[in-house]
């Protein structure tokens, strides 16, 4: 379920992902990336650990051109489609089985050669004769040229493509050892032979590759687990001869609008909306939320989530690549295939590593020979340099940690767009928070109804009548409160409705007692700005609207709504007043703080992050919400277009104290998109607008600020593993190459150390699987 070619907005570019075959070390991936980036119309990113290349094609360049360029460089490329992952899995299992058989054959042939070293140099000092040299030649030759053919093939392709890789080092080193020994054997010279050296190196390298393959397979377990969650079939409603029947169909056959049934205990096959039934659904695999979520008519359900005790009839809204699950798999795959800036140093080194090592091996050979150590000793030390210097560990250090880290993030409900964003998240010093929908639930609710010259029920009915056609968030709160316990709520008739932006609404409402001229709007409009009760509610962070009845004659039907509005506006602007209205009730509306926001803000502050709230609300409301959430610093009255500028101001202030400090923004609305894009790291709440999610670097699926603290903690853990891996890889070569050059390592020990280094780096990355969200 990987991404298909993606068209850009301009339609002139596409991004295609390819499965790459034949890469053996960091030098391979670095060289292939350079080859592709030199091609006109191609911009490539090659990932050794994932064995993937993401190529941006421009100017009408076809995917076939990429395949041809990769083949010319000595590798294979296959465009990734929906079935690629399964085919790759089968192919890798077959290749692993074949390599395992070859390893056991190589081990059986190599074991006598290695054991004779113990016979010749036992602990008691009484050595035994070595194996006949013709037998050693017979045992070592199949290992060298049959089992080890893969190294010759890889080396030839690399050299033909104008580069060098691990295969060149192994093939060159082991061939030199075998050739010297074969000449000594065939000419019956009185010299030592090193058949065991070349055979043992090849066998140990194969063992290392097998262990590395097993470990690397575990780095992508997060994606594999997600893929396994989606059921293969669904019960879909169909009409047959005028009757409704339920048919078991493959998930791939579902189309948007199809109605499907999810029985108790089953997994949801595709994204949909509940049309009938009630149940609880476990969404932990997508959001990290362990508690089941109640579902009823009108609620959304997502593919691969697990239904509880009730049956749900749903209408499909997202199928195939358009489900939330597919989007998560696609984003995680893209993030795992991207490169963190910290990897650039490793790439630069690996690009020149093999030629430098060959030069060091030649210098070692010449130095020992000129020092009088003899041809054989000089050759063995040069071979040890070639073998121990394999750059595999260097190439795996970063991508394996990124793969495990992003997979763990997906399990915790944190989607990472790319590795660079994951790296930047570690350096966040200032976090700007949107209020509505981020700190708060984003759904204003009527919290207080204080009647004055009317009963509570009467005031609510009149206010709902005035707001029945409005889409304003405050209006929705009043309407929801009016209809929530009334199955067939009846609104009072309204005529001559007028809206005065920034002030409120006015209309004639027909009640059983007759028509009444009513206004619903801001306290200032209705003369209650200084009212003690109004100020108390505002200081509590609530928005107050006033319901009032106006005296006066009926407005003529001949007066247009526009002219009436103009008249009202003119009167307000001129400071003219009418007869005092009768205040019927005060209605207070608030967007409640998310239950987890205060604890999440405390976690962020404990991580050393300065938290700042940005909101367009008035200062009193902002101060109340900030105090409730535990946020010490806020900026109120900020218009949507000014949020990006506020991010710039926060960045300038933070970097004045710390040049490396980064500023992050978290939001959920369309109006937050510019600020998310302007921030060094943008976080979008998963329930937010598409524009916000698209502009963000990381998405919190669960719409919970704890996910933000988790993302920063995960970033720090992942970058810590990357630094450990790079240290291990560098220190291994820094210590190993001089030791080999000075004759302190023989080729067999060097081969074992080289294999162990790659396995240790991948295993260290796998320790990230111990990371857990900190809720």
């Amino acid at each position: 379920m990987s991404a298909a070619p993606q068209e850009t907005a301009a339609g002139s570019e596409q991004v295609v992902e390819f499965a790459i075959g034949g890469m053996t070390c960091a030098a391979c991936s670095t060289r292939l990336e350079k080859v592709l980036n030199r091609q006109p119309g191609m911009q490539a990113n090659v990932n050794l650990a994932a064995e993937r290349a993401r190529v941006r094609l421009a100017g009408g360049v076809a995917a076939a051109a990429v395949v041809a360029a990769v083949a010319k460089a000595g590798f294979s490329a296959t465009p990734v489609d929906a079935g690629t992952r399964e085919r790759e899995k089968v192919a890798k299992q077959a290749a692993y089985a074949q390599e395992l058989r070859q390893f056991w054959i190589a081990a059986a042939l190599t074991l006598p050669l290695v054991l004779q070293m113990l016979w010749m140099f036992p602990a008691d000092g009484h050595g035994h004769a070595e194996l006949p040299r013709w037998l050693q030649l017979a045992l070592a030759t199949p290992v060298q040229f049959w089992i080890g053919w893969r190294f010759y093939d890889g080396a030839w392709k690399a050299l033909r493509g104008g580069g060098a890789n691990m295969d060149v080092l192994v093939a060159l080193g082991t061939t030199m050892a075998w050739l010297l020994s074969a000449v000594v054997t065939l000419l019956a010279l009185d010299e030592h032979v090193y058949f065991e050296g070349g055979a043992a190196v090849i066998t140990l390298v194969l063992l290392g590759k097998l262990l590395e393959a097993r470990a690397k397979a575990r780095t992508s377990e997060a994606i594999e687990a997600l893929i396994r969650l989606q059921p293969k079939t669904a019960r879909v409603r169909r009409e047959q001869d005028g009757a409704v029947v339920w048919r078991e169909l493959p998930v791939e056959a579902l189309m948007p609008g199809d109605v499907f049934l999810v029985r108790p205990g089953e997994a949801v096959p595709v994204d949909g909306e509940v049309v009938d039934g009630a149940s609880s659904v476990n969404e932990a695999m997508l959001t990290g939320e362990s508690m089941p979520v109640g579902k009823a008519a009108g609620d959304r359900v997502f593919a691969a989530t697990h239904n509880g005790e009730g049956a749900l009839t749903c209408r499909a809204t997202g199928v195939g690549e358009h489900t939330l699950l597919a989007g998560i798999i696609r984003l995680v795959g893209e993030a795992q295939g991207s490169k963190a800036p910290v990897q650039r140093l490793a790439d630069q080194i690996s690009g020149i590593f093999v030629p430098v090592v060959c030069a060091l091996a030649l210098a070692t050979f010449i130095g020992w020979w000129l020092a009088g150590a003899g041809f054989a000793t000089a050759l063995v030390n040069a071979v040890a340099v070639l073998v121990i210097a394999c750059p595999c560990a260097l190439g795996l250090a970063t991508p394996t940690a990124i793969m495990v880290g992003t997979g763990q993030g997906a399990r915790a409900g944190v989607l990472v767009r790319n590795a660079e964003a994951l790296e930047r998240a570690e350096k966040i010093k200032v976090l700007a928070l949107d209020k509505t929908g981020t700190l708060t639930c984003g759904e204003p609710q009527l919290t207080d109804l204080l009647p004055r010259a009317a009963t509570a029920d009467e005031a609510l009915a009149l206010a709902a009548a005035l707001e029945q056609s409005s889409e304003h968030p405050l209006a929705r709160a009043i309407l929801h409160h009016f209809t929530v316990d009334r199955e067939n709520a009846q609104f009072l008739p309204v005529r001559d409705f007028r809206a005065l932006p920034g002030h409120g609404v006015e209309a004639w409402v027909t009640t059983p007692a007759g028509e009444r001229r009513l206004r619903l709007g801001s306290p200032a409009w209705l003369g209650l700005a200084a009212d003690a009760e109004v100020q108390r509610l505002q200081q509590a962070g609530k928005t107050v609207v006033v319901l009032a009845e106006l005296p006066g004659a009926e407005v003529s039907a001949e007066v247009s709504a526009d002219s009436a509005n103009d008249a009202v506006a003119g009167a307000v602007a001129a400071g003219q007043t009418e007869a005092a209205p009768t205040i019927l009730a005060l209605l207070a509306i608030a967007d409640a703080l998310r239950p987890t926001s205060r604890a999440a803000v405390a976690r962020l502050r404990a991580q050393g992050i300065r938290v700042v709230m940005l909101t367009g609300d008035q200062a009193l409301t902002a101060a109340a919400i900030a105090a409730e959430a535990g946020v010490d610093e806020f900026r109120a009255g900020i218009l949507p277009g000014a949020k990006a500028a506020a991010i710039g101001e926060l960045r300038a202030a933070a970097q004045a104290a710390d040049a490396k400090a980064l500023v992050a923004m978290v939001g959920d609305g369309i109006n937050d998109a510019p600020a998310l894009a302007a921030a060094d790291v943008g976080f979008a709440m998963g329930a937010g607008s598409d524009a916000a999610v698209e502009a963000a670097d990381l998405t919190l699926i669960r719409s919970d600020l704890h996910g933000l603290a988790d993302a920063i903690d995960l970033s720090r853990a992942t970058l810590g593993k990357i630094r450990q891996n790079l240290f291990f890889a560098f220190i291994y070569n820094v210590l190993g190459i001089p030791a080999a050059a000075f004759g302190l390592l023989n080729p067999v020990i060097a081969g074992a150390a080289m294999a162990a280094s790659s396995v240790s780096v991948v295993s260290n990355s796998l320790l990230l699987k111990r990371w857990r969200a900190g809720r």
Side-chain angles (χ1 to χ4, degrees), residues 168-253:
V168 173
L169 298 180
V170 175
L172 186 59
T174 58
T175 301
M176 289 169 64
W178 181 90
L179 189 60
L180 171 65
S181 302
V183 169
V184 168
T185 300
L186 295 175
L187 298 182
L189 300 178
D190 189 19
E191 295 284 347
H192 186 68
V193 292
Y194 299 92
F195 287 119
E196 76 285 347
V201 165
I202 289 174
T203 303
L204 288 169
V205 171
L206 284 179
L207 176 60
K209 286 293 178 184
L210 288 170
L211 295 175
E212 181 185 309
R214 289 186 63 181
K216 281 168 65 178
R218 292 182 59 196
T219 64
S220 58
E221 281 181 354
I223 287 184
E224 295 294 338
L226 288 173
I227 292 173
R228 288 194 298 268
L229 290 172
Q230 188 169 21
K232 302 298 183 184
T233 61
R235 291 179 63 81
V236 186
R237 187 171 70 186
R238 290 287 187 262
E239 291 190 7
Q240 182 176 347
D241 299 329
V244 174
V245 296
W246 295 93
R247 290 186 175 175
E248 198 87 11
L249 297 178
V251 169
E252 294 80 7

Side-chain angles (χ1 to χ4, degrees), residues 493-556:
V494 172
R495 68 179 179 86
D496 295 336
F497 176 86
R498 307 176 191 91
L500 186 64
H503 295 282
V505 297
E506 176 184 338
W508 285 88
V509 178
T510 303
T511 70
E515 286 193 326
R516 303 171 71 175
R517 185 185 175 200
L518 302 175
R519 277 184 180 175
L520 182 69
S522 68
W525 187 35
L526 291 162
L528 260 66
D531 185 271
E533 196 71 26
V534 169
Q535 291 185 346
R536 181 186 67 80
L537 292 169
Q538 288 178 338
Q539 288 170 358
K542 300 176 181 181
T543 300
V544 180
V545 292
V546 180
L547 177 67
E549 183 171 6
L550 299 176
E554 180 177 333
V555 177
S556 171

Side-chain angles (χ1 to χ4, degrees), residues 430-706:
V430 181
L431 175 67
L433 289 166
D434 175 49
K435 180 183 76 70
T436 305
T438 301
L439 274 172
T440 64
C441 297
E443 297 177 359
Q445 299 176 352
L446 182 65
T447 58
D448 300 86
L449 201 166
L450 306 179
R452 290 200 174 176
T455 65
D457 289 342
E458 179 187 11
L460 182 59
L462 294 173
L466 288 168
E467 298 283 30
Q468 60 186 288
S469 300
S470 176
E471 286 298 320
H472 192 280
L474 298 183
R476 288 200 299 270
I478 293 172
L479 293 172
H480 174 74
H481 198 83
F482 178 68
T483 60
V484 67
D485 293 324
R486 299 172 176 85
E487 290 187 8
N488 298 303
Q490 297 294 319
F491 291 97
L492 297 171
V494 172
R495 68 179 179 86
D496 295 336
F497 176 86
R498 307 176 191 91
L500 186 64
H503 295 282
V505 297
E506 176 184 338
W508 285 88
V509 178
T510 303
T511 70
E515 286 193 326
R516 303 171 71 175
R517 185 185 175 200
L518 302 175
R519 277 184 180 175
L520 182 69
S522 68
W525 187 35
L526 291 162
L528 260 66
D531 185 271
E533 196 71 26
V534 169
Q535 291 185 346
R536 181 186 67 80
L537 292 169
Q538 288 178 338
Q539 288 170 358
K542 300 176 181 181
T543 300
V544 180
V545 292
V546 180
L547 177 67
E549 183 171 6
L550 299 176
E554 180 177 333
V555 177
S556 171
E558 296 178 359
V559 178
S560 69
D562 288 340
S563 61
N565 280 336
D566 291 342
V568 174
V572 171
Q576 298 173 7
T577 60
E578 301 174 289
T582 301
I583 306 302
L584 301 181
L586 302 181
L587 294 86
I589 298 166
D591 184 6
L593 193 73
R594 290 184 187 276
T596 57
S597 288
R598 186 175 181 86
V601 168
R603 278 186 66 195
L604 289 165
R605 295 178 64 179
Q607 290 174 332
I609 295 171
R610 172 186 164 203
V611 180
V612 181
M613 185 180 79
L614 304 179
T615 178
D617 271 353
Q618 59 172 324
L620 280 175
T621 302
I625 291 294
E628 189 179 357
V631 177
D632 293 335
E633 191 175 348
F634 66 89
R635 297 189 182 187
I638 295 182
L639 297 175
K643 284 187 178 180
I647 294 294
E649 294 170 7
L650 290 171
R651 181 188 292 111
Q655 293 184 349
D658 181 358
K660 295 183 179 180
L662 299 184
V663 175
M665 169 72 187
V666 57
D668 74 321
I670 294 174
N671 62 326
D672 296 322
L676 289 170
D680 297 305
V681 185
F683 295 86
M685 306 298 273
S689 70
D690 291 342
V693 173
E694 186 64 29
D697 299 301
L698 298 96
T699 301
L700 312 178
I701 300 178
R702 214 165 93 181
S703 294
D704 181 343
L705 284 179
H706 272 298

Side-chain angles (χ1 to χ4, degrees), residues 265-433:
E266 291 184 338
V268 179
V270 296
D271 288 3
E273 180 180 321
V274 179
V275 295
D276 188 33
S279 184
S280 59
V281 176
N282 188 335
E283 298 181 344
M285 65 287 298
L286 294 183
T287 66
E289 174 58 68
S290 58
M291 294 299 293
V293 180
K295 300 291 181 182
D299 292 332
R300 296 179 64 191
V301 292
F302 303 101
T305 55
H306 201 79
N307 186 27
E309 70 286 350
L312 296 174
T313 304
C314 310
R315 180 176 290 105
T317 57
V319 300
E321 290 296 313
H322 301 288
T323 63
L324 176 62
L325 175 67
I328 291 174
I329 292 171
R330 182 168 58 251
L331 278 176
V332 174
E334 290 174 2
Q336 290 184 342
S338 62
K339 288 187 179 180
V342 72
Q343 191 175 346
R344 291 172 188 157
L345 177 62
D347 287 347
Q348 291 170 355
I349 292 175
S350 62
I352 60 172
F353 195 77
V354 175
V356 169
V357 168
C358 290
L360 288 174
L362 180 60
T364 300
F365 174 78
I366 294 173
W368 280 95
W369 198 7
L370 292 179
F375 179 84
T377 301
L379 180 63
V380 168
N381 290 336
V383 169
V385 170
L386 289 170
V387 171
I388 200 167
C390 171
C392 291
L394 198 60
L396 293 170
T398 299
T400 52
I402 292 293
M403 290 176 73
V404 178
T406 51
Q408 290 297 98
R411 287 181 173 178
V414 178
L415 284 187
V416 182
R417 186 173 294 276
N418 53 57
E420 186 174 358
L422 188 65
E423 180 175 340
R424 288 201 306 268
E426 181 201 36
K427 302 179 180 69
I428 294 171
K429 297 299 182 184
V430 181
L431 175 67
L433 289 166

